[in-house]
Amino acid sequence: MNRTLGVLISGRGSNLQAIIDAIVQGALDACIGVVISNRPEATGLERARRAGIETLCLGHRGYASREDYDRALVGALRARGVGLVCLAGFMRLLSPVFVEAFPNAILNIHPSLLPAFPGLEAQHQAWAHGVKISGATVHLVDRDLDAGPIVAQRAVPVMDDDTADTLSARILEQEHLLYPEAIRLVLSGDWSIEGRRFRLGAGSVAGT
Ligand code: GAR
């Protein structure tokens, strides 16, 4: 599989940093072709620059529609030979235009055990609901929000004295381990999709 990643961020970029670190340490055989943010103030852009990775800031103003913006994103990723798109705290809904441009080649990390607590502030939702176990999920992106086939998950117990913030911090530690691991699995190409299921070792993905 094409090992050039395009990482999309909107903010802090700690998951981006975990991916960069895994590559530098030789734990992940990939390279990051470009980091794109929809927000100029995203501190993750600085992390990318420090690592010598090309950055691009694509704000949505000036685009007539979500589809037009997504076409610009797709163009920027394709121009850099990106084979796998990694959403790392990218806080924008993607249209079918984007999803169909990279079929089964977009990953997202979400701070809950999906399908529980999709959407915004998942850690707070889980804490407020009173669940005893939450966690993090990496999944393939399809047309529906936080809903594509699940590649990998890590569970995080919720402690009695947790606040939403302490729980978020412990989930984030697991996210940083989970994301490079999930990218490695996907780049192996040794998987298939059966219904909603991401199955490892069950064959090779077409086109890889
Ligand atoms: C992470 O917790 C990620 O799971 C979450 O945003 C945070 C980004 O942090 N993503 C979502 O909630 C997507 N629905 P980071 O910028 O430090 O990687």
Side-chain angles (χ1 to χ4, degrees):
M1 194 165 179
N2 173 346
R3 293 182 170 271
T4 303
L5 311 180
V7 184
L8 270 50
I9 62 168
S10 296
R12 179 176 58 183
S14 71
N15 277 290
L16 163 68
Q17 188 68 56
I19 297 167
I20 293 172
D21 292 347
I23 292 172
V24 169
Q25 289 156 15
L28 177 60
D29 180 14
C31 70
I32 301 178
V34 66
V35 170
I36 304 179
S37 172
N38 61 326
R39 297 196 182 130
E41 69 279 12
T43 53
L45 287 170
E46 188 46 40
R47 296 179 191 265
R49 285 188 205 109
R50 270 205 308 269
I53 298 165
E54 185 189 358
T55 60
L56 199 62
C57 184
L58 262 189
H60 63 273
R61 284 180 219 288
Y63 292 94
S65 64
R66 186 173 293 280
E67 287 74 17
D68 278 356
Y69 177 83
D70 284 1
R71 269 187 277 275
L73 268 184
V74 169
L77 292 162
R78 288 221 171 114
R80 286 144 182 103
V82 166
L84 181 65
V85 180
C86 301
L87 309 180
F90 186 64
M91 296 306 192
R92 251 188 89 81
L93 291 176
L94 293 167
S95 69
V97 165
F98 190 91
V99 174
E100 281 157 22
F102 291 96
N104 281 339
I106 308 169
L107 287 175
N108 181 44
I109 187 153
H110 185 77
S112 74
L113 290 178
L114 288 171
F117 311 118
L120 293 176
E121 298 187 2
Q123 309 95 323
H124 187 273
Q125 290 185 55
W127 174 79
H129 193 89
V131 297
K132 302 297 184 196
I133 298 176
S134 191
T137 302
V138 174
H139 63 94
L140 289 164
V141 172
D142 64 12
R143 279 164 167 251
D144 300 316
L145 179 70
D146 297 329
I150 291 169
V151 174
Q153 292 184 304
R154 276 182 176 239
V156 174
V158 182
M159 307 302 185
D160 286 343
D161 59 355
D162 262 333
T163 62
D165 285 345
T166 59
L167 177 60
S168 297
R170 286 208 321 288
I171 292 175
L172 192 63
E173 281 176 21
Q174 296 305 310
E175 291 184 46
H176 296 162
L177 301 172
L178 183 67
Y179 214 173
E181 214 171 272
I183 294 169
R184 204 179 313 119
L185 291 180
V186 170
L187 289 181
S188 76
D190 188 20
W191 51 275
S192 61
I193 302 290
E194 290 173 27
R196 287 201 35 85
R197 254 172 250 272
F198 174 93
R199 293 196 89 116
L200 260 186
S204 195
V205 192
T208 57

